[in-house]
Amino acid sequence: ITEDYGPLVWSDAVYMESCDEAAPQGYVLANERGGRIVIIDAAKAIAGAGTDAVITTLPMGARPVHGYAIPHIDGEGNIGEYWSHSDADGHFDVVKVGQWDDLHRPEVTAHVGIPGHGKLLWDSDLWPYGYATNTKEPFLYEIDLRNYNMTRHIQFTTHGENPDAHCKGTHGIAYSKENKHIFATCSGNTTEGGENGLVEVNPEGDELVLVKKHPEARGGQVYESLDGKWIVDIDKANDEVVFLEANQPGEISSIAHVVAASKDNCALDDQTGCSGMPDKVAFFPLEDGSMNFIFSLTSPNDQTGEDGIGIINSKNLGTQDTLTHVPGGSGSSKYRSIYSGGDHVATIMSYPHEGIMVLNGQDGSLAGTVKTNEATTRVMYVPEQPTGAYCSAD
């Protein structure tokens, strides 16, 4: 990407493959804040082709941040769609992988009245429906991913109406394959005299039903572990991670463990030599059936590389009260991308140099740091060769 493309501010990027008859082809699709989706030939980029690796750019709605790959649905086969969210317009623009002439489907509505920052959830269990959030409205939206129409929504209350159902806006979103419930973080509640929390919603039946609001899970980011056993809520403002146990199908999940991100929560005081607060998580499964949870840590005032990451293994939940800190690289803002791939996990860094901090997934130990382009905002994993993993109906 050169100056010919104008000023660049990168947002989310994903790796996807087309299922061509000859052989699968790999691509990177990346959101650029100027309202463009940049399409990159992964093989050419890996080979060092530079700008020749850029296939095209597609215009989309204003201020895109999050983008989502829907490569494959179990029993349905290859879907091959990229859904990019426009925060300014409150809709998704959809690209069909391999069809680069134009957007496959523009302006899939994801708001009722006020557009805002939002995310998308999809899962083979939930097909054909996906679910979206919006920090500007008290809703969780259901979208039919086949015909691109909003089908249902649930509206949460104000604090005055019912504190136990209060959610001024929705942000992070996750799904549990264990109890079949959807989880969304509440945002903006404190501006109305309430408390943020995590709403748990049952999507089965004629209506979306609020099962419970978990006030102990106050963070803005929520994830499902790869094994489906844990819902992980990251509470950056309070320097802690909340682990919810999903329980059996139809049962309400329960708060199981609260783990501090830094020793004695020193990150809240921004102490010198202290690890940072948790931002995002990468999961790394081990052969013994356990799971490493590896969190990017961030303290924008640290410029020594002390932030690093925090790690905990699922076997230690209940006995370990603080993440194990691994220094090696610091970010420069309150956001810090982290991603797992192959045998490693990587997170972006700005200090002591611009680049990425690479970790061994097995134990979270530092594998090394690599200088890259300046002002890194995202990191992702691209296989050296296309895998063809999503080209069957299985």
Side-chain angles (χ1 to χ4, degrees):
I1 305 297
T2 68
E3 295 177 356
D4 294 341
Y5 289 85
L8 290 168
V9 179
W10 292 111
S11 294
D12 283 0
V14 302
Y15 171 77
M16 299 189 72
E17 295 181 3
S18 63
C19 295
D20 299 346
E21 290 186 7
Q25 302 296 316
Y27 305 96
V28 172
L29 292 85
N31 283 352
E32 197 281 307
R33 291 288 185 97
R36 296 173 291 186
I37 300 170
V38 181
I39 316 297
I40 300 168
D41 185 310
K44 287 185 177 180
I46 291 172
T51 56
D52 288 339
V54 179
I55 297 172
T56 189
T57 61
L58 297 175
M60 64 160 294
R63 210 167 67 245
V65 176
H66 295 303
Y68 301 87
I70 307 181
H72 179 276
I73 295 295
D74 296 342
E76 297 287 333
N78 181 263
I79 302 299
E81 290 185 353
Y82 175 68
W83 287 56
S84 180
H85 187 266
S86 164
D87 285 2
D89 302 318
H91 69 241
F92 291 95
D93 290 306
V94 183
V95 175
K96 181 71 76 171
V97 175
Q99 300 176 15
W100 311 128
D101 291 340
D102 203 351
L103 294 173
H104 176 66
R105 184 67 177 241
E107 301 182 8
V108 178
T109 301
H111 69 280
V112 171
I114 306 172
H117 176 73
K119 297 188 175 185
L120 177 70
L121 165 72
W122 69 272
D123 191 279
S124 289
D125 278 5
L126 299 169
W127 183 260
Y129 301 109
Y131 297 86
T133 61
N134 179 0
T135 59
K136 296 292 186 181
E137 289 187 326
F139 290 98
L140 179 69
Y141 318 99
E142 180 184 82
I143 298 172
D144 189 320
L145 301 176
R146 291 177 302 188
N147 62 30
Y148 311 103
N149 293 321
M150 189 187 299
T151 49
R152 299 185 295 176
H153 61 255
I154 181 173
Q155 183 173 6
F156 303 104
T157 70
T158 65
H159 179 69
E161 290 170 334
N162 181 2
D164 293 332
H166 177 211
C167 209
K168 183 181 180 182
T170 53
H171 187 202
I173 187 168
Y175 170 71
S176 167
K177 295 181 181 67
E178 295 288 303
N179 71 354
K180 312 299 182 182
H181 288 172
I182 294 169
F183 300 79
T185 61
C186 298
S187 65
N189 285 15
T190 56
T191 66
E192 297 181 342
E195 294 291 337
N196 292 330
L198 184 72
V199 288
E200 183 172 346
V201 174
N202 185 353
E204 298 181 355
D206 295 334
E207 296 182 351
L208 301 174
V209 177
L210 174 63
V211 176
K212 181 181 175 62
K213 178 181 174 182
H214 300 275
E216 307 94 332
R218 300 165 290 182
Q221 306 289 345
V222 64
Y223 304 86
E224 177 200 8
S225 63
L226 297 180
D227 57 11
K229 296 179 181 179
W230 302 99
I231 297 297
V232 183
D233 180 86
I234 299 178
D235 187 355
K236 184 189 305 184
N238 292 286
D239 191 43
E240 63 186 24
V241 180
V242 179
F243 291 85
L244 291 86
E245 195 165 8
N247 298 323
Q248 297 301 309
E251 292 185 3
I252 301 174
S253 63
S254 54
I255 303 290
H257 310 287
V258 179
V259 179
S262 64
K263 186 177 181 181
D264 300 322
N265 294 122
C266 61
L268 296 177
D269 300 324
D270 202 23
Q271 296 178 17
T272 301
C274 177
S275 61
M277 293 174 284
D279 182 44
K280 294 177 176 62
V281 64
F283 304 104
F284 195 93
L286 302 181
E287 292 183 357
D288 64 2
S290 67
M291 183 77 60
N292 279 342
F293 304 91
I294 304 177
F295 298 86
S296 60
L297 303 178
T298 180
S299 174
N301 294 325
D302 180 83
Q303 299 183 6
T304 65
E306 188 67 23
D307 279 357
I309 60 97
I311 181 173
I312 189 169
N313 182 270
S314 57
K315 293 187 297 185
N316 297 326
L317 291 171
T319 59
Q320 182 177 336
D321 59 8
T322 305
L323 299 179
T324 299
H325 177 218
V326 180
S330 297
S332 60
S333 78
K334 61 181 180 179
Y335 303 115
R336 194 171 183 199
S337 174
I338 189 169
Y339 206 94
S340 63
D343 296 328
H344 296 91
V345 172
T347 184
I348 61 174
M349 59 182 288
S350 297
Y351 306 104
H353 62 75
E354 303 274 3
I356 57 173
M357 174 183 174
V358 183
L359 308 146
N360 295 305
Q362 289 288 334
D363 57 10
S365 61
L366 180 66
T369 64
V370 182
K371 291 183 179 180
T372 66
N373 48 294
E374 296 181 357
T376 51
T377 61
R378 298 293 192 277
V379 62
M380 58 178 296
Y381 174 76
V382 176
E384 190 171 359
Q385 299 291 334
T387 65
Y390 300 115
C391 295
S392 71
D394 298 330

